[in-house]
Amino acid sequence: SFADRFLKSDAELNLLINNAGTKEACVYTEDHQELALQVNHLAHFLLTNRLLPKMKAAQTARVVHVVCDAAYDGAVDGDNLNPSQDATQEAVAGVSIERCSAAK
């Protein structure tokens, strides 16, 4: 994977910008989660955590998560993780993931 190759390289990681996204509503993956949730949020969280050793080694590394302004208007419903049903919930999930990453 990209993360494995990068971790083995001599390159420094000073800035990671998580900006991938999709609007594919109601498309589900084989593990029964919505594609938009996985691409827009879970993938960012996974990549950030995989690359954390390189960022810590750089000491001044920063992570930027790009989300829409709806992220500041709602909450995540843990009983319904299908973001196409609530765009605000999807955006809030992104901010929640960013806060979890920042804590590390």
Side-chain angles (χ1 to χ4, degrees), residues 14-63:
N14 295 303
L15 177 63
L16 174 63
I17 301 174
N18 289 318
N19 190 34
T22 182
K23 288 187 175 186
E24 291 292 329
C26 298
V27 174
Y28 293 88
T29 60
E30 63 187 41
D31 58 357
H32 310 289
Q33 293 297 320
E34 194 167 55
L35 181 65
L37 175 69
Q38 291 189 4
V39 170
N40 297 351
H41 305 294
L42 300 180
H44 294 176
F45 183 75
L46 178 60
L47 180 62
T48 301
N49 280 288
R50 290 291 314 277
L51 297 178
L52 202 54
K54 283 280 191 180
M55 289 186 282
K56 285 183 175 181
Q59 296 180 352
T60 59
R62 298 288 181 256
V63 179

Side-chain angles (χ1 to χ4, degrees), residues 45-90:
F45 183 75
L46 178 60
L47 180 62
T48 301
N49 280 288
R50 290 291 314 277
L51 297 178
L52 202 54
K54 283 280 191 180
M55 289 186 282
K56 285 183 175 181
Q59 296 180 352
T60 59
R62 298 288 181 256
V63 179
V64 176
H65 292 277
V66 179
V67 298
C68 69
D69 60 359
Y72 304 99
D73 295 332
V76 174
D77 176 0
D79 294 328
N80 178 12
L81 295 178
N82 295 314
S84 69
Q85 297 172 9
D86 185 350
T88 300
Q89 176 173 290
E90 179 183 350

